[in-house]
Amino acid sequence: MSSDDTSGELPTTSTPLTRRTLSAQDATTAVHHLVRAAQQVIPTAGGAGLSLLDEDGTGSTVASTGTAVEVADALQHQFGMGPSRSAWITGQVQRIDDSAADPRWGPWQAGAATAGIRSVLSVPLPCLDRRLGALTVYATAPDAFGDAEERLLGLLADAAATVLGTAQDPDTPVHRGTPGKDAPDPGGLIGLAAGVLMDRDRLSPETARAALLEAAGTEGRGLAEIATAVVDAATGHEQAGGLQATMTAAFINRQDLWLHHFSLGGSVKEFEIDAYVHHALLLPQLQRDLLAHAASEILDQAAPPRAHSASVALAGLICSTATGGQGRGTLPASG
């Protein structure tokens, strides 16, 4: 309805009311008002901000009440962790009673404390079956927010989500791409990790990437770091299976392998080798490679050509994941 329509009647239109949208400018203005209202109606709040995040985790602060808020939000976008991002990922309210004592988001927490922020309350912005971002208030004193502030901020967050949700055609997705699809992916690592999860847990590409993103937010780690851990675990399990097959086929006992591994500079204890080949322990890459090399040398020292052939074939299987074969690795359903 136009601002000069005073008839009190709804306009006749062929477009359903649910499909009418706000202009981007109107939505931006309304969001700025809501953010200022959040600071004003919550007496303990020293500042407020609203962040939007794409499904690939890219975030931006669209409204804030001051520099400290912008710094806090910028740190979240930089480190890929923080209360606003966790509220968006989990759909749950995030509250920090004292940033100096809460260890959940390490690097972000340290930066926030340096900026003078002690308390944080962040509420997700729900829109139909999606979450657009988070509305967050900050305070310079600890224990600034409780249940009453949480309920009030939740009402404002609902209003902000409604405004943002109507600022576009309902048939147009708010977010671009699928989870993690457009995120920086050094060397295709995120795609490789998603492939591991797809194979292990029978997930779709979208669900696998979403799982990686959720793990990054929940654990307070970067997406690339989570992907590296997933791929390393898959590689380790495949190498462990290859080593066990080699030991069985060539009758290599654990003590001999351990002694040879130790002579090469390895630091794994004998009992850890047993845990490793039975997938109960993931060893560091260097130790895995040293064990593979030790098994290969033991085979080379054994009786003539047959043992050497076994060395080439079996040790090659062990080391395959350390080069180009890691993408074929799968994790067992349980440890």
Side-chain angles (χ1 to χ4, degrees), residues 7-90:
S7 65
E9 297 181 0
L10 291 173
T12 301
T13 175
S14 59
T15 303
L17 183 60
T18 55
R19 294 181 64 85
R20 296 183 65 83
T21 62
L22 291 175
S23 70
Q25 182 176 355
D26 288 343
T28 299
T29 300
V31 166
H32 277 276
H33 285 314
L34 284 167
V35 168
R36 285 196 293 270
Q39 180 181 356
Q40 292 168 1
V41 302
I42 298 178
T44 52
L50 188 147
S51 293
L52 296 181
L53 293 102
D54 284 336
E55 289 190 12
D56 62 6
T58 302
S60 61
T61 300
V62 297
S64 68
T65 60
T67 304
V69 174
E70 293 174 359
V71 169
D73 284 355
L75 287 172
Q76 293 194 67
H77 304 324
Q78 175 185 346
F79 292 120
M81 65 178 71
S84 298
R85 297 183 72 89
S86 289
W88 169 68
I89 290 170
T90 65

